[in-house]
Amino acid sequence: MENLEEQIIQANSLDALERVRIELFGKKGALAVEFAKLKDVPGAEKKAFAEGLNTTKTHLQKVYDECYESLKKAEIERLLKAEAIDVSLYNNLNAKGALHPVMSTMDKIIDYFVALNFSIEDGPKVEDDFHNFEALNLPKNHPARDMQDTFFFHDGAVLRTHTSPVQIRTMLQQQPPIRMIAPGAVFRKDYDITHTPMFHQVEGLVVDAKDEVSFANLKSMMADFLHYMFGEVEVRFRPSFFPFTEPSAEVDISCIFCEGKGCRVCSHTGWLEVLGCGIVDPNVFKAVKYKNVSGYAFGLGVERFAMLLHKIPDLRMLFEGDTRLLEQFR
Ligand code: DAH
């Protein structure tokens, strides 16, 4: 047994110690072999034999724990030394910071709507089911809830999957007329070249008296907004579906990479989808107890706009924080 203790003490790395642990304490280890002998020990001696073994085991465990702690500590110290950064070392005191392209794109979008007297509204990122789904005409068993891969908390709260819940919050707090946008981060369980689990949207909502707000208003505003963002592009409206608007449309611009001729970015269609919009569904107004009103709403993804504006090929680049990308936006 002394030999076993010696083995533990001589392990000079966590790996070596792990090998010794398996040899000693493992299912087929030295201790297990000793314990297996118990069945052949004559009855009268069993108790003493077992007690002896248990004492040894406890002792070896203690020696092992001590060795583990000290090796672990040495390992952490080694890592800290190896990875230390000398913060007093700098090579460019004049380097200036800059707005991240996502934020500058957001600012550009916000500027457009602020100039038209829209208010900027905010809401919580941890939302409840009512604001994120229910009041937006997405009842519990509605199949459209599947459109969104939601992060749920145990108590049923969610990380908001879109900025649309801010529409609901604003309507519950204010009376029409309303002209608002809601910029902010949203969250979905998604990760690939065109999706990240956190991204940004800008939501818009206009509500006024019955018959005051029409699809024609929405259409002209979206077209003007897209020309402001992207310059001389074609804008087209495609019928679509969102639970909170009816009728709904998705809006495309002619591809800014190939000018509509067809390329890899626009999947050879000549068009790029840039936002969703529509006339507010009566069920949404019912949920916030608005009567005799009309309205339109829209929502867009800020990263997508930033990628198109700056011709950034992979969405994930916007989140890697690589200074070689960021330096180009100083
Ligand atoms: N909430 C939608 C989404 O996350 C975007 C959207 C589409 C918002 C149409 C709207 C709208 O207000 O009218 O995909």
Side-chain angles (χ1 to χ4, degrees):
M1 285 291 155
E2 212 139 274
N3 165 36
L4 296 182
E5 178 170 345
E6 204 52 32
Q7 277 187 45
I8 299 178
I9 294 169
Q10 274 169 10
N12 55 7
S13 71
L14 284 171
D15 280 347
L17 186 64
E18 176 61 9
R19 281 194 294 276
V20 176
R21 186 189 69 76
I22 293 167
E23 275 167 31
L24 296 193
F25 303 105
K27 238 191 221 150
K28 293 181 185 150
L31 278 168
V33 171
E34 289 303 309
F35 273 105
K37 289 178 188 159
L38 190 59
K39 66 177 190 312
D40 304 323
V41 175
E45 293 162 36
K46 260 196 188 2
K47 186 161 179 261
F49 184 85
E51 271 174 9
L53 266 181
N54 276 324
T55 312
T56 309
K57 186 181 169 194
T58 311
H59 173 69
L60 288 176
Q61 186 68 48
K62 185 163 160 273
V63 174
Y64 168 85
D65 289 346
E66 282 164 9
C67 285
Y68 179 83
E69 282 311 317
S70 85
L71 282 172
K72 186 84 192 163
K73 204 165 145 215
E75 174 69 6
I76 290 173
E77 268 159 26
R78 187 188 68 73
L79 277 177
L80 282 175
K81 265 208 194 101
E83 293 173 5
I85 293 170
D86 182 352
V87 288
S88 68
L89 262 181
Y90 46 80
N91 65 4
N92 190 353
L93 258 189
N94 297 319
K96 289 197 192 92
L99 276 185
H100 189 278
V102 171
M103 288 302 130
S104 61
T105 304
M106 186 108 109
D107 281 352
K108 183 169 174 173
I109 297 168
I110 291 172
D111 282 349
Y112 177 85
F113 291 101
V114 165
L116 292 173
N117 221 8
F118 277 61
S119 66
I120 299 179
E121 305 293 344
D122 201 5
K125 295 185 179 74
V126 177
E127 259 301 359
D128 55 38
D129 187 274
F130 174 76
H131 293 89
N132 198 79
F133 295 123
E134 196 91 26
L136 288 161
N137 197 27
L138 276 144
K140 293 251 154 26
N141 297 316
H142 197 294
R145 280 198 185 197
D146 266 3
M147 282 160 63
Q148 308 192 319
D149 301 305
T150 312
F151 287 110
F152 287 97
F153 291 91
H154 288 304
D155 62 0
V158 299
L159 284 177
R160 66 177 183 193
T161 55
H162 49 180
T163 41
S164 306
V166 185
Q167 288 187 22
I168 302 299
R169 289 186 176 273
T170 308
M171 287 192 279
L172 287 171
Q173 281 160 11
Q174 301 175 20
Q175 285 305 309
I178 286 174
R179 294 161 87 76
M180 58 144 271
I181 53 167
V186 301
F187 307 85
R188 287 185 205 172
K189 265 158 79 178
D190 239 345
Y191 192 64
D192 58 38
I193 322 178
T194 50
H195 298 90
T196 49
M198 189 278 301
F199 60 102
H200 298 83
Q201 289 186 334
V202 175
E203 184 81 13
L205 174 72
V206 171
V207 184
D208 211 324
K210 194 170 162 56
D211 300 330
E212 283 293 311
V213 178
S214 70
F215 202 96
N217 299 151
L218 168 64
K219 197 172 170 192
S220 68
M221 172 168 283
M222 291 300 105
D224 187 57
F225 165 63
L226 292 171
H227 288 138
Y228 156 86
M229 291 302 292
F230 296 106
E232 290 300 309
V233 288
E234 303 268 337
V235 175
R236 99 177 163 180
F237 281 63
R238 250 184 315 109
S240 184
F241 172 79
F242 298 103
F244 25 89
T245 45
E246 178 63 34
S248 306
E250 277 172 307
V251 184
D252 300 338
I253 57 171
S254 51
C255 182
I256 51 176
F257 295 91
C258 62
E259 282 158 8
K261 286 185 205 79
C263 67
R264 209 177 50 87
V265 183
C266 61
S267 309
H268 304 281
T269 61
W271 295 95
L272 298 165
E273 182 194 319
V274 288
L275 59 84
C277 62
I279 294 296
V280 179
D281 192 289
N283 282 340
V284 174
F285 286 141
K286 217 180 266 170
V288 297
K289 304 193 167 62
Y290 270 17
K291 291 205 175 86
N292 297 319
V293 291
S294 56
Y296 65 70
F298 55 89
L300 61 89
V302 181
E303 280 76 8
R304 176 141 178 89
F305 273 55
M307 286 172 75
L308 296 177
L309 282 176
H310 300 295
K311 305 201 157 72
I312 298 168
D314 184 333
L315 178 64
R316 290 172 295 196
M317 284 180 164
L318 291 172
F319 294 99
E320 282 165 353
D322 190 324
T323 53
R324 288 168 301 179
L325 178 96
L326 300 176
E327 271 160 8
Q328 298 174 58
F329 294 94
R330 250 192 224 136

